[in-house]
Amino acid sequence: MTGSSPAIIAVALDAPLRRLFDYCVPADWAAQVQPGLRVWVPFGRRRIVGVVMEIRRHSDVPTAKLRYAQSLIDAEPALDAGLLDLLRWAADYYRHPLGEVIAAALPGPLRQGAPLDVVETCWRLTPMGRSQALTELPTRAKRMRAAIEALLDGADHMDEALLAAGITRESLRKLRERGYVEDVTRTQLAAASTAGEVHGGPSLNDAQATAVERIRGSLGTFATWLLHGVTGSGKTEVYLHAIASVLERGEQALVLVPEIGLTPQLIARFRERFDAPIVILHSGLSDGERATAWREARSGAARIVIGTRSAIFAPLARPGLIVVDEEHDSSLKQQDGFRYSARDLAIVRAQRAQIPVILGSATPSLESLNRAHHQTGSLLALPHRAADAKPPRLALIDLRAHAAAQGIATPTLMAMQRHLDAGRQVLLFLNRRGYAPVLFCPQCGWSAHCKRCDANLTVHRNSIALLCHHCGVQQTVATACPTCAAEVKPVGQGTERIEETVGRIFPNSPLARIDRDSMRRKGELEATLAQVDRNEIRILVGTQMLTKGHHFPNVTLVVVLNADQGLFSTDFRASERLAQTIVQVAGRAGRAEQPGEVLIQTEYPEHPLLTLLLRGGYEAFAEGALKEREKAGWPPFSRIALLRAEATQAAEPLQFLRAASAVAREHAVRGVSLWGPAPAPMERRAGRHRAQLLLQAATHGPLQRLLSRWIPLLETLPEARKVRWSIDVDPSEMF
Ligand code: ADP
Ligand code: ZN
Ligand code: ZN
């Protein structure tokens, strides 16, 4: 044929290459092709799934060398224009290969070519079935009766759930013949649900009502709301009511929560309050479950999508609102591979979709607070606890003035006794699992070190082992020093040791330890929390796991055993994280009518951060911290990116980064400064040496201009072949 050249498609493939791949389209389906469709394409000797990104007239590849795409998988785009646009933006901004970004947005089965739509049948009672089936069916029709009972039990039953419960397809079909049940698709079921209503719940107080009203007024337009409410102030109630309005409009709501926040309690609360179909997206799902949830979000059958950070890429037929709960939480940032911030992408997605986004937190990130200062009227404050609960009283315990027996100072012990005597519960927070952080020889000064990391090994009593918390290496505990044979001693406190000490001092108060080691088995955390609820546990010892999401109404004393870990760090975000942790853990106390007491043990009671926090709460701290950031030129008053490199040979990361730095200087962009390269604060980890180069600019424009030129050049550096390197745009951790 002459004249009309074949259509060419640029396809994203799941490969770590920063480019698209061109293919010719066979004439018989050229007319149907459009961006977002999945296609089968040849790749080397294999056949793989690609996603069409662009339709082109010309390719830089000579036509003779272009291969033909094999077939279309989808009749309509798997990823709609809005989502494609977001993914493209994210790949560009975070400088990650587009093919991998696209792959991250597709559940496994769809990446392997599974069909886009699977019509799922649900069974529902007809009015006749609801009122008459059980009276009319003979008693011996056991199976049919069981099916009816199961359907009467729940509002919305999926085929699979019923079958899993032992109901057979056969009995459902028989019931359909008799007119007792009918089958409908998920989508029909969703459309029929009386969605726009929140059931039950307290009536909103003034601050909540104002917040809901303002969010409602912004539906259908882009707005970023910062919902800043102390723990227990009723933020979740605000989300629920805002979501009700979204459902009323026939739209969907996307709710992002931190990993640890996606608890059965939260899900149960949503299910209880809405009739609307809800799907959950998180990393613990099987491929099949994820694909089902993804399909329902995409078709619109799911009206509420709740998920952890990767749910920001969930397809939505009719997006109406995005909620980011605990927006300060570090798990919203992906720390490896495709490094992105789900919170920041939520704002980008909302803007593109012209819908509002709510960022909720008791301890907002300094970024979000700064943004709210600049966008007048975007701050929604819930200054008081709902249900008239009193805020907790904070006090410092000076560890220099009070001898601490095994990590707990005398005034702390006295306070514990007081609260226990009053029939209350006590929570001890320590951000360090294990028995002791150091195994030390008092004779010669030897301590147990990890061979593969620049770190001490942690003593774990329960597993009778020394464990490296950075690389996972395990060693048996020596009782004698390997250099002088003297007896070695565990030094310092971990949660296991606190558990032991407290158990000895308060033998009659049942105690539970909550950390990653003690809560390994599925369901264990829920079971322990239920015991706490029933007041069977009186003392809780735990890590970070305790600081989020859970309600402990009968806990009236919270002790932060060691605040000093975050006070002196090379990471400019460490103090922000410390303040957030203290305020979050303090928020667990006295949620009901009992006012709480919070004791913070420290050797630096005059530290300005602690003083600010104590006198003026998180707001005062944040104001002070923002001033410091501005003076030092750190984010949010600048933009940064971190180029990291690691290798088994000590010199190689620095050599690569020096070469990278030279290239950056050659292609200098005005306004971008380079700092380093320098070894990472923990130089060696898991046997690999690590170093980093920091890029900084006042705004992200120049930084992005430099990155776009620089990254492709890095791939061609000979030094790059000897290291593993990665770029982290807006890093949340500085190592
Ligand atoms: P947050 O999400 O800010 O931690 P929640 O929405 O979970 O707060 O509310 C904390 C507790 O207070 C819950 O038990 C909730 O039912 C209750 N609550 C919320 N709003 C009100 C209100 N207006 N009146 C009474 N109780 C409320
Ligand atoms: Zn020794
Ligand atoms: Zn190690």
Side-chain angles (χ1 to χ4, degrees), residues 282-601:
H282 62 85
S283 55
L285 298 180
S286 71
D287 266 3
E289 289 169 327
R290 179 188 301 271
T292 302
W294 188 91
R295 287 183 176 117
E296 286 175 12
R298 183 180 169 279
S299 72
R303 304 298 305 280
I304 302 173
V305 178
I306 309 178
T308 48
R309 67 173 172 256
S310 64
I312 189 55
F313 301 118
L316 297 170
R318 294 176 301 280
L321 171 71
I322 306 177
V323 174
V324 184
D325 189 28
E326 309 290 356
E327 66 87 34
H328 66 280
D329 194 274
S330 60
S331 75
L332 288 163
K333 170 79 163 51
Q334 173 129 324
Q335 302 285 17
D336 55 7
F338 169 30
R339 295 166 169 80
Y340 64 90
S341 155
R343 179 200 55 217
D344 295 352
L345 284 178
I347 298 171
V348 174
R349 185 166 189 182
Q351 183 171 27
R352 294 183 167 230
Q354 287 296 304
I355 58 173
V357 54
I358 309 173
L359 310 179
S361 177
T363 52
S365 63
L366 296 184
E367 272 83 359
S368 296
L369 278 173
N370 189 52
R371 172 195 295 270
H373 291 165
H374 288 101
Q375 292 175 355
T376 322
S378 66
L379 179 70
L380 305 171
L382 304 180
H384 305 296
R385 288 186 168 200
D388 288 332
K390 307 269 182 308
R393 285 187 312 272
L394 271 67
L396 296 179
I397 303 281
D398 185 348
L399 284 177
R400 293 167 313 186
H402 303 283
Q406 307 284 23
I408 309 174
T410 316
T412 308
L413 288 174
M414 283 157 57
M416 287 175 71
Q417 187 70 64
R418 193 153 36 77
H419 286 261
L420 291 172
D421 286 347
R424 302 295 165 190
Q425 292 167 319
V426 172
L427 187 160
L428 306 178
F429 169 78
L430 180 64
N431 211 3
R432 201 191 269 142
R433 62 197 174 87
Y435 187 76
V438 184
L439 186 65
F440 179 74
C441 171
Q443 200 73 46
C444 74
W446 171 90
S447 64
H449 246 256
C450 177
K451 287 194 187 69
R452 309 169 69 217
C453 307
D454 294 331
N456 284 316
L457 291 169
T458 302
V459 185
H460 279 252
R461 186 196 47 185
N462 295 347
S463 49
I464 318 179
L466 288 168
L467 200 66
C468 176
H469 284 188
H470 303 283
C471 71
V473 133
Q474 200 167 337
Q475 240 171 271
T476 44
V477 183
T479 47
C481 172
T483 46
C484 76
E487 194 186 341
V488 290
K489 297 229 146 50
V491 176
Q493 316 297 325
T495 46
E496 288 176 6
R497 195 171 203 173
I498 295 294
E499 178 185 22
E500 182 186 271
T501 306
V502 171
R504 217 172 32 234
I505 302 174
F506 302 98
N508 300 321
S509 301
L511 178 153
R513 174 164 62 89
I514 297 191
D515 57 29
R516 261 201 291 140
D517 299 315
S518 66
M519 296 292 139
R520 270 184 212 281
R521 281 198 304 278
K522 207 177 161 177
E524 209 158 3
L525 180 61
E526 285 71 48
T528 310
L529 293 176
Q531 279 183 299
V532 177
D533 244 13
R534 295 193 297 267
N535 219 16
E536 290 162 19
I537 302 282
R538 306 297 305 284
I539 304 175
L540 276 159
V541 178
T543 56
Q544 208 76 333
M545 255 189 161
L546 276 178
T547 62
K548 294 169 193 177
H550 312 300
H551 297 198
F552 300 120
N554 202 29
V555 166
T556 48
L557 174 66
V558 167
V559 182
V560 177
L561 287 169
N562 188 349
D564 298 345
Q565 287 162 303
L567 288 179
F568 306 96
S569 167
T570 49
D571 189 335
F572 71 89
R573 287 186 214 272
S575 62
E576 176 184 354
R577 268 187 234 116
L578 173 65
Q580 286 164 343
T581 303
I582 292 178
V583 174
Q584 292 285 347
V585 74
R588 305 302 123 198
R591 286 176 66 113
E593 61 297 335
Q594 291 301 317
E597 185 176 353
V598 180
L599 300 177
I600 303 167
Q601 298 194 152

Side-chain angles (χ1 to χ4, degrees), residues 202-205 208 230-237 269 386-387 551 591:
S203 43
L204 300 180
N205 61 34
Q208 287 170 315
V230 297
T231 317
S233 60
K235 293 183 292 297
T236 311
E237 286 301 319
R269 192 159 167 198
H551 297 198
R591 286 176 66 113

Side-chain angles (χ1 to χ4, degrees), residues 270-285:
F270 270 79
R271 290 207 197 279
E272 221 169 81
R273 306 290 292 279
F274 290 111
D275 285 333
I278 298 173
V279 294
I280 314 293
L281 279 167
H282 62 85
S283 55
L285 298 180

